[in-house]
Amino acid sequence: MRVAQRLLMATPASIGSKSSLSEALALLPPLQLYRRILRVHRKLDPEMRVLGDSYVKNEFRAHRTVENPLHIIGFLTEWQLYAQKLEGEHWAGEKLDKSKLDKMSDQQLGQLLELMQAIRNDEGGRK
């Protein structure tokens, strides 16, 4: 994520297209986005907040050294969309887009399955 400064100075040719450049400029810097997500998590149930906070911390830590500008843009875009959805109230029960599922690696699908199981176990314990 240290490359975020270079990303802001990049030319459209170095990123891919003019639209992706404008998206990059509209994105929050990684640290601000990280803090925003943790603040939004405050409105979750305590158990879900702990789960969400640890997941966000691990993801941002794992992507700290990524240097591929397109990967950085995708990562920050998805997390920014996540934060925006949580700030609203319409995220609960929303289905994951099939096109996003198709783009996920086996490792990402495994993480998604673990997250789903953790959420279901938490919901089962509260009933």
Side-chain angles (χ1 to χ4, degrees), residues 46-102:
E47 299 86 14
M48 296 304 290
R49 180 180 177 186
V50 170
L51 179 66
D53 286 354
S54 65
Y55 187 78
V56 168
K57 288 175 186 177
N58 289 337
E59 283 295 301
F60 273 77
R61 193 173 294 126
H63 289 81
R64 199 176 1 197
T65 58
V66 171
E67 294 193 14
N68 180 344
L70 292 175
H71 187 89
I72 294 169
I73 290 171
F75 179 82
L76 294 176
T77 300
E78 289 302 318
W79 279 108
Q80 191 157 321
L81 290 172
Y82 168 79
Q84 289 170 350
K85 284 184 181 181
L86 280 184
E87 287 170 343
E89 294 295 327
H90 306 292
W91 59 272
E94 186 175 316
K95 297 198 184 270
L96 192 59
D97 186 14
K98 183 172 175 12
S99 65
K100 288 183 183 179
L101 274 176
D102 293 340

Side-chain angles (χ1 to χ4, degrees), residues 28 31-44 49 53 56 82-83 86-87:
L28 288 174
L31 188 56
Q32 283 182 323
L33 180 58
Y34 175 77
R35 288 177 179 158
R36 178 180 174 187
I37 292 167
L38 293 179
R39 273 194 305 272
V40 171
H41 279 180
R42 292 177 188 163
K43 72 178 188 178
L44 298 175
R49 180 180 177 186
D53 286 354
V56 168
Y82 168 79
L86 280 184
E87 287 170 343

